[in-house]
Amino acid sequence: MEEMTMLIQKNIENCSLNEIKDVFACMANKLENAAGEINWYKAELEKNEDYLKKLELANLELDGENERFKRALEYVSQLTSENPQRIQAIVDAALSQKENNMELKIVCEDEKYMPTYANNTDACMDLKIKTKQTVEVDGHDANIDTYFLSPQETKVFSTGIKVSVPQDHVMMIFPRSSTGFKLQCMLSNTTGIIDAGYRDEIKLALTNFGKETVCLKDGQRIAQFVVIPRPKVALVPVEDNEDFRNGDRGGGVGSTGE
C-alpha cells in the first residue's frame, strides 16, 4: 500500500506507464506472498486442531486407565483385608508359573525347523526332521524334499537344531502319537536322552515297523521333547536283607495278572 500512496502523492498523471506497471506488479507479488502465508497458517491451525483432538482423546484414555487402576487397587485392598489366603494363593500361583518357565538356548539353521508347541497346554514341543536331499536324475542333480521310508528300514534324520540344555536338566525325546499310530514308525531307540553337556545337532533314528512305504516330508513333525530337572542320584550300597526287602510287592513281569 505504500507504493500506491506514493503513486497518488506523486500524481498518477505524471507517472509513466512502466512505473505504474512496476508498482502494481510489486503489489501483486506481495499479495501472493500474503496469501501463501495465510494458507500456511491455516494448515498449521488445522494440524493444531487435529493435535488437540488427539490430545483430548489421550486424556480421556488416561482418565479411563486411572479409573480402572483405582478400581483394581480397591479390589486388591478388599481382598487383602477380607481374604488374605486368597491373595497368598494368587501370589503362589504366579511364582509357580514363573518357576515352571525356562529358557532353552537353541541354534536353528532354518526357521522351518524351529520346534513349536501345537497347543498352549502341550507338555512337549514338536521336533521336525530334514528330508532334503540331492539325487541324480538323467545325469543331473535334483533337489527333493521327501524321503520314502521302506518297511523295516531305519533312517537317521537331522533336525536342523542344536540346543544347550541347562545344567541339572535333561531333554527327553519321544515319538509323537501320530508317528506310531498313523505312520507306523517309531524312534529306533524308543526314547532319546540329550544331556546338558551335548552341543551337536540333534538327530532322530526312525524305523518303519509297518508294511507300507511311508512318505516323509521336509519339516514334518515326527518327535516331541520335554526338558525336566535331573536329580543327582547317590548310590548307597546295602545288604539284601529284611530291611532292603521291606515294601517288596513280590513277583516280576506278569505277576499282577494279564
Side-chain angles (χ1 to χ4, degrees), residues 8 43-44 50 55 61 112 120 139 143 148 172 219 221 245:
I8 294 173
E44 288 299 311
D50 185 57
L55 183 60
E61 181 65 22
K112 70 183 297 185
N120 291 333
N143 295 321
F148 293 92
M172 303 184 70
R221 296 176 297 158
R245 292 289 177 176

Side-chain angles (χ1 to χ4, degrees), residues 113-144:
Y113 303 123
M114 183 67 72
T116 55
Y117 284 111
N119 300 286
N120 291 333
T121 56
D122 288 352
C124 297
M125 297 187 80
D126 292 332
L127 270 176
K128 306 166 186 178
I129 59 172
K130 294 172 56 180
T131 60
K132 282 186 177 181
Q133 55 182 324
T134 302
V135 298
E136 184 176 336
V137 178
D138 297 331
H140 299 282
D141 290 338
N143 295 321
I144 59 174

Side-chain angles (χ1 to χ4, degrees), residues 20-203:
I20 296 174
K21 287 183 178 179
D22 290 341
V23 170
F24 277 94
C26 181
M27 293 179 63
N29 184 51
K30 289 188 176 183
L31 286 173
E32 183 178 356
N33 291 338
E37 289 184 4
I38 290 174
N39 289 333
W40 183 84
Y41 283 118
K42 182 179 179 181
E44 288 299 311
L45 181 60
E46 291 176 351
K47 289 181 181 179
N48 288 335
E49 289 179 352
D50 185 57
Y51 172 77
L52 290 175
K53 290 179 181 178
K54 290 181 179 179
L55 183 60
E56 183 180 357
L57 291 175
N59 285 331
L60 291 175
E61 181 65 22
L62 181 60
D63 291 341
E65 290 295 331
N66 286 335
E67 184 63 28
R68 285 189 286 271
F69 182 68
K70 181 180 178 181
R71 290 199 300 268
L73 284 179
E74 292 174 350
Y75 176 69
V76 171
S77 178
Q78 182 180 1
L79 283 180
T80 305
S81 60
E82 297 179 359
N83 195 347
Q85 292 82 8
R86 184 177 179 186
I87 287 290
Q88 188 61 48
I90 294 174
V91 173
D92 291 343
L95 292 176
S96 175
Q97 180 66 28
K98 182 177 180 181
E99 292 174 356
N100 288 336
N101 293 333
M102 72 168 62
E103 291 184 350
L104 180 65
K105 295 179 180 179
I106 182 171
V107 177
C108 184
E109 66 178 59
D110 192 309
E111 186 68 23
K112 70 183 297 185
Y113 303 123
M114 183 67 72
T116 55
Y117 284 111
N119 300 286
N120 291 333
T121 56
D122 288 352
C124 297
M125 297 187 80
D126 292 332
L127 270 176
K128 306 166 186 178
I129 59 172
K130 294 172 56 180
T131 60
K132 282 186 177 181
Q133 55 182 324
T134 302
V135 298
E136 184 176 336
V137 178
D138 297 331
H140 299 282
D141 290 338
N143 295 321
I144 59 174
D145 59 1
T146 56
Y147 184 86
F148 293 92
L149 191 66
S150 302
Q152 308 308 312
E153 179 186 1
T154 297
K155 172 72 175 177
V156 177
F157 295 94
S158 298
T159 61
I161 67 168
K162 302 175 183 178
V163 297
S164 175
V165 177
Q167 290 296 321
D168 298 322
H169 287 71
V170 61
M171 174 186 284
M172 303 184 70
I173 302 176
F174 310 96
R176 296 182 71 238
S177 299
S178 59
T179 300
F181 286 109
K182 296 181 179 181
L183 302 181
Q184 293 197 322
C185 293
M186 62 178 290
L187 296 180
S188 302
N189 57 340
T190 64
T191 301
I193 298 295
I194 305 297
D195 298 314
Y198 183 78
R199 294 292 185 275
D200 292 330
E201 183 178 8
I202 295 177
K203 296 186 178 182

